Amino acid sequence: MKKLVYKITLMVILAIVVVLTPSFLTTFFLAKKYIGAETVHYLESEVGRQTRIFTELFSRVRTAAQAAEGVTEYYLTDEIINGEEAFTDYRVHTLERYRSLAGAFDPAPFSLYAWFDPDLLPRSRTIAIFNSGETFRTEDEYDYTWEDINKEGWDWFTVPKEKGENWTEPYFWEAFDSIIISYTRALDFKGQFAGIVGSDIAFQSIKEKVQNLSLFDTGYFILLGATGNIIIHPSLEGTNMKDILPEEVESILNDPDGIGTIFYTFNGDEKVMAYHRLENGWYLLGAPPLRELNAGLIHLTRSLGLVLIIVLVLVLAFSFLASKAIAAPIITMKDRLIDIASGEGDLTQKLDIRRNDEIGELSEHFNTFMESLRVMISEMMVINEKSLTVQESLNDSASGSMTSIRDMNSRMDDVNHQMDELNRQISASSSAALEISGNLDSFTRLIENQSSAVEESTASVEEMIASLDNVARITSSKRESSEKLMEMTVKGAGLLNESTRQMEEITGELDSIRQTIQLINNIASQTNLLSMNAAIEAAHAGESGKGFSVVADEIRKLAVTAAESAGMISRVLNNMGGKIEETNEAGKETAQFFNQIKEEVEDVTRAFSEINGSTQEISMGSQEILKAMSSLNSISAEVSSGSGEMKEGTQSVAHSMDSIMEISRLVLSQVEDTNKTTESFGSTIEAVNREAEALGEIIENLTRKMGRFKV
């Protein structure tokens, strides 16, 4: 039968595998195409997102340089270029404007500077500030010529002269003692090149940003220069990427869109690279291994394989069950015959096989034989059940009688033991009654002594209550005095705080006055500058401008006088601010002393309150003790009276115990005679019970043999 089942199962499996295999292959290739496109798109999106972050950073540097360019060009004049003193004033004001510009950016730029053309000024001049981390410091001036510029290869100076602007690759600048990236723009004065203005980025901050980025498990980002130089890489910084991947790098640098993806092999590892061009012409590259990019596809392949295995297992199970259903009639007939042959058969079941062949006829004759056998076994089982009923009735009667006899003997034994125990308890009770009578005499004497002690304790408690009332009156008076002292302390602290607040308001007004004086200084400086310009214009006008020159000189003197007065006022205000600050400090220390005094007074007040509360609680407790003493004295009198009555009762109990002892001896003698009679009757019942058990074993053996068949 097993061979037939296995053959049918194998044929069904082969048929289903032939049908399902093309569907699984089609699903796999379609999913591979879709997942591959999605992972590449994700890689490009991630690189694009990081590109926007770096673009914003470079754009902020460009904007800072453009703002510095506007400030530098706007105030640049011929007088400043040709005059040493005028350029010195111009440099001071420009440095202040640079600081204001830098403070407007968040985060602030690393530096702002202007380097002038050595051919334009009598000597080379520079204006520069850099971010020291805490403030913007002024960089020292440099003395240089075009020979120095060409010799050092300062492309940040030469390239803007030709192209208008320039982004440098990282380089070391001794003044900052760090590697920087510079953006510079050409400075224009009346249509000619006057120098450069620019701003820097600390290269370390860019490097940390790139190195902190990651792709998948082991992928990384690369920062590539406009000519293919590797600016940031986990291990290849300072080399040109054209030497490693010439064709791939050329395709990236020549891509007009500056965005794309390439596939390549590096150190035997297949990789994919997405690239985006930055604002300054550099490229941000994202390069994960191809195997990590295809991790989703590998997972899909494993999932499809698992699904295919599950389908095959299900097909195998279905095929096996179907094969068993085909061979079921023959297997059923075989199992029935084996069941009957072993003597454990179910005679009520029939072979439900309706077939027009030899198997059907054999099944019909088998069912007829089983019916005849079932009827015969049923009749035998009825006769056996009647015999078993008679045996069980006899056995139950004998067992019941025997149980009753045993129970009677057991109860008689219990009565015997209980009578012995009763005799012992009666003897003990008589002795205890006599002992109680003696103890009651001693107890009466103790009660009398206790009454005397209670009266003495009552007098002592009354004296303690009077002392506690006196302590409570004293502590209440001291607590009221402490509360008045605390109110005076709080009032003094409030007046001191009000004085301190008014001092702080005066300090705020001084700050407003200082700002006003600063404004006056600025106006005086601008007025002085205007008067100088007016004097220069008056000198150019000749004789007709002499009157205007006199006015300009008076305006300049007035501006100088205003500046000196403002300086004097500022010094006076500074002295006043110092005195006010000293006063505020003294007020704060005094306020601290007031707070300490307040805390100490509060502690004293709380202590007096606690003492007052405690004395009241002790006083109430003493009153309760006094009441308890009185109650205890009354109870002692009652106990003394009751102990006499108890003594008379115990003597009566002792006489009763002697009478009960005599009665228990008579009962014990009658119980022993009854035990002997029940033992003789029990021997007869045990003989009948043994015969009934032998008959039961014969009937049970016959029942087991017929019970193998189900009728």
Side-chain angles (χ1 to χ4, degrees):
M1 297 302 172
K2 292 183 178 179
K3 293 181 179 179
L4 178 60
V5 173
Y6 293 156
K7 288 180 180 179
I8 296 173
T9 303
L10 182 60
M11 292 176 63
V12 174
I13 291 174
L14 291 176
I16 294 178
V17 169
V18 170
V19 173
L20 293 180
T21 300
S23 300
F24 274 95
L25 292 176
T26 303
T27 303
F28 171 76
F29 285 112
L30 289 176
K32 178 180 179 182
K33 180 179 179 181
Y34 174 78
I35 293 177
E38 284 298 312
T39 52
V40 172
H41 177 69
Y42 166 78
L43 176 61
E44 292 177 348
S45 300
E46 183 65 14
V47 176
R49 185 176 69 87
Q50 298 299 334
T51 299
R52 288 190 292 274
I53 296 175
F54 285 100
T55 298
E56 180 182 355
L57 175 63
F58 290 128
S59 177
R60 187 162 57 247
V61 175
R62 180 192 294 271
T63 303
Q66 290 174 341
E69 176 188 10
V71 169
T72 307
E73 289 182 352
Y74 181 81
Y75 293 99
L76 189 62
T77 62
D78 289 325
E79 289 77 11
I80 293 173
I81 291 175
N82 297 321
E84 184 72 15
E85 184 178 355
F87 184 87
T88 300
D89 292 337
Y90 169 76
R91 182 175 184 273
V92 171
H93 292 300
T94 303
L95 288 172
E96 291 298 323
R97 296 183 184 106
Y98 280 4
R99 291 188 179 92
S100 298
L101 284 174
F105 287 88
D106 186 19
F110 187 77
S111 62
L112 287 174
Y113 49 86
W115 288 54
F116 292 90
D117 188 348
D119 295 339
L120 181 67
L121 274 70
R123 68 180 183 86
S124 58
R125 303 299 297 267
T126 61
I127 303 174
I129 63 170
F130 68 93
N131 190 348
S132 64
E134 298 178 355
T135 184
F136 289 95
R137 296 173 56 186
T138 303
E139 187 179 0
D140 297 333
E141 287 191 85
Y142 282 81
D143 189 12
Y144 57 94
T145 64
W146 271 106
E147 182 179 356
D148 298 326
I149 294 172
N150 295 325
K151 180 180 179 181
E152 297 293 336
W154 290 350
D155 53 354
W156 49 268
F157 194 101
T158 58
V159 174
K161 182 178 181 180
E162 300 174 1
K163 298 183 178 180
E165 63 178 1
N166 179 58
W167 282 96
T168 69
E169 292 188 358
Y171 66 96
F172 180 80
W173 187 247
E174 295 182 18
F176 299 157
D177 193 25
S178 62
I179 299 175
I180 59 173
I181 301 171
S182 299
Y183 171 74
T184 53
R185 298 176 59 86
L187 188 64
D188 180 81
F189 179 69
K190 294 183 179 181
Q192 63 176 335
F193 179 75
I196 60 96
V197 293
S199 182
D200 300 327
I201 308 175
F203 174 70
Q204 186 61 30
S205 64
I206 302 294
K207 186 174 182 179
E208 290 176 355
K209 288 180 180 293
V210 175
Q211 289 179 342
N212 289 334
L213 301 176
S214 62
L215 285 170
F216 300 100
D217 293 332
T218 60
Y220 50 84
F221 281 81
I222 304 171
L223 194 60
L224 191 68
T227 60
N229 290 329
I230 297 177
I231 298 174
I232 298 176
H233 186 279
S235 60
L236 299 175
E237 290 181 5
T239 61
N240 196 302
M241 201 168 183
K242 291 181 181 180
D243 299 334
I244 303 171
L245 301 171
E247 296 180 359
E248 290 81 355
V249 174
E250 284 295 334
S251 65
I252 293 174
L253 298 179
N254 295 328
D255 186 355
D257 297 329
I259 300 174
T261 305
I262 61 172
F263 295 84
Y264 65 102
T265 302
F266 180 68
N267 290 337
D269 193 6
E270 293 184 355
K271 307 188 75 171
V272 60
M273 180 185 293
Y275 59 89
H276 274 248
R277 187 164 50 226
L278 302 176
E279 180 186 9
N280 61 350
W282 295 357
Y283 291 85
L284 183 65
L285 314 177
L290 188 59
R291 65 178 182 279
E292 295 179 4
L293 194 68
N294 293 333
L297 181 60
I298 295 172
H299 178 69
L300 174 64
T301 304
R302 293 174 179 171
S303 300
L304 289 176
L306 180 61
V307 171
L308 181 59
I309 292 172
I310 294 173
V311 169
L312 290 176
V313 171
L314 294 176
V315 168
L316 178 62
F318 173 79
S319 302
F320 183 77
L321 294 175
S323 303
K324 288 188 67 176
I326 295 173
I330 300 174
I331 296 173
T332 302
M333 185 178 294
K334 181 198 69 171
D335 293 338
R336 293 289 182 271
L337 292 173
I338 293 173
D339 188 29
I340 295 170
S342 62
E344 300 292 337
D346 186 357
L347 301 181
T348 62
Q349 294 187 2
K350 301 292 188 294
L351 293 178
D352 190 13
I353 302 174
R354 299 177 183 179
R355 299 175 59 171
N356 296 324
D357 53 13
E358 289 77 4
I359 296 176
E361 293 178 0
L362 180 61
S363 175
E364 185 176 352
H365 293 305
F366 176 80
N367 289 338
T368 302
F369 167 74
M370 291 297 294
E371 180 63 22
S372 300
L373 183 60
R374 187 190 67 79
V375 173
M376 182 178 64
I377 296 298
S378 297
E379 293 175 353
M380 292 177 65
M381 292 179 70
V382 170
I383 295 171
N384 189 57
E385 287 177 357
K386 292 180 180 179
S387 301
L388 184 61
T389 302
V390 174
Q391 182 271 334
E392 288 177 351
S393 178
L394 179 61
N395 197 18
D396 290 341
S397 298
S399 297
S401 300
M402 194 65 196
T403 302
S404 298
I405 291 171
R406 291 195 185 100
D407 186 49
M408 185 182 296
N409 289 333
S410 176
R411 291 181 180 179
M412 297 304 291
D413 291 337
D414 290 340
V415 170
N416 195 7
H417 292 312
Q418 289 174 3
M419 293 304 296
D420 290 338
E421 182 65 24
L422 178 61
N423 289 334
R424 287 194 297 271
Q425 290 180 0
I426 290 171
S427 298
S429 298
S430 298
S431 301
L434 295 175
E435 186 177 354
I436 290 172
S437 178
N439 290 335
L440 286 173
D441 293 335
S442 300
F443 183 69
T444 301
R445 289 193 297 272
L446 291 174
I447 291 299
E448 293 174 354
N449 294 334
Q450 180 180 343
S451 298
S452 300
V454 167
E455 291 176 356
E456 294 177 359
S457 299
T458 302
S460 299
V461 170
E462 290 175 349
E463 293 178 0
M464 183 178 66
I465 291 173
S467 299
L468 288 173
D469 290 339
N470 188 28
V471 172
R473 286 194 300 272
I474 295 172
T475 53
S476 178
S477 175
K478 296 300 181 181
R479 181 173 61 82
E480 292 176 357
S481 301
S482 300
E483 290 176 350
K484 292 180 181 180
L485 178 60
M486 185 173 67
E487 291 176 358
M488 296 174 62
T489 304
V490 172
K491 184 175 180 180
L495 294 174
L496 182 62
N497 290 334
E498 180 64 21
S499 300
T500 303
R501 187 185 62 78
Q502 292 178 0
M503 287 294 182
E504 291 177 349
E505 291 180 356
I506 294 172
T507 302
E509 295 297 331
L510 290 179
D511 291 337
S512 301
I513 296 172
R514 289 192 184 96
Q515 294 177 359
T516 304
I517 292 172
Q518 182 63 35
L519 180 62
I520 294 172
N521 281 330
N522 293 336
I523 294 173
S525 177
Q526 294 294 330
T527 304
N528 189 21
L529 181 62
L530 291 173
S531 65
M532 291 174 63
N533 291 334
I536 294 171
E537 294 297 331
H540 289 165
E543 291 295 328
S544 60
K546 286 184 178 180
F548 188 65
S549 175
V550 173
V551 173
D553 185 58
E554 291 298 325
I555 291 173
R556 184 183 64 79
K557 292 178 180 179
L558 180 61
V560 171
T561 303
E564 291 175 351
S565 299
M568 183 180 295
I569 294 171
S570 177
R571 288 191 296 274
V572 172
L573 289 177
N574 289 333
N575 291 332
M576 290 178 64
K579 297 297 183 180
I580 291 172
E581 184 66 26
E582 292 176 358
T583 304
N584 282 337
E585 291 297 327
K588 290 178 180 178
E589 292 180 359
T590 305
Q592 291 178 356
F593 289 137
F594 267 112
N595 289 332
Q596 292 177 359
I597 293 171
K598 178 185 175 184
E599 291 175 357
E600 295 295 333
V601 172
E602 288 177 346
D603 291 340
V604 173
T605 302
R606 282 195 298 270
F608 278 125
S609 297
E610 292 176 358
I611 293 171
N612 192 19
S614 298
T615 53
Q616 290 178 359
E617 291 178 359
I618 295 172
S619 178
M620 288 188 291
S622 299
Q623 294 290 345
E624 294 296 328
I625 293 171
L626 192 61
K627 292 179 182 178
M629 290 292 185
S630 177
S631 176
L632 180 61
N633 198 11
S634 299
I635 292 171
S636 298
E638 293 177 359
V639 170
S640 178
S641 176
S643 63
E645 297 176 358
M646 289 175 63
K647 182 178 180 182
E648 294 177 358
T650 53
Q651 291 175 354
S652 177
V653 168
H655 293 301
S656 299
M657 288 297 176
D658 293 336
S659 299
I660 294 172
M661 177 75 75
E662 185 63 27
I663 294 171
S664 67
R665 291 193 187 97
L666 295 175
V667 172
L668 184 60
S669 176
Q670 293 177 359
V671 168
E672 290 176 352
D673 293 338
T674 304
N675 277 337
K676 294 177 182 178
T677 303
T678 53
E679 287 176 359
S680 175
F681 183 65
S683 299
T684 304
I685 296 299
E686 287 179 355
V688 175
N689 194 26
R690 284 195 295 270
E691 295 297 330
E693 289 177 353
L695 178 60
E697 291 177 358
I698 295 172
I699 295 172
E700 287 178 359
N701 187 23
L702 181 59
T703 302
R704 283 196 298 271
K705 291 185 180 295
M706 290 187 295
R708 295 181 179 180
F709 299 97
K710 183 178 180 182
V711 296

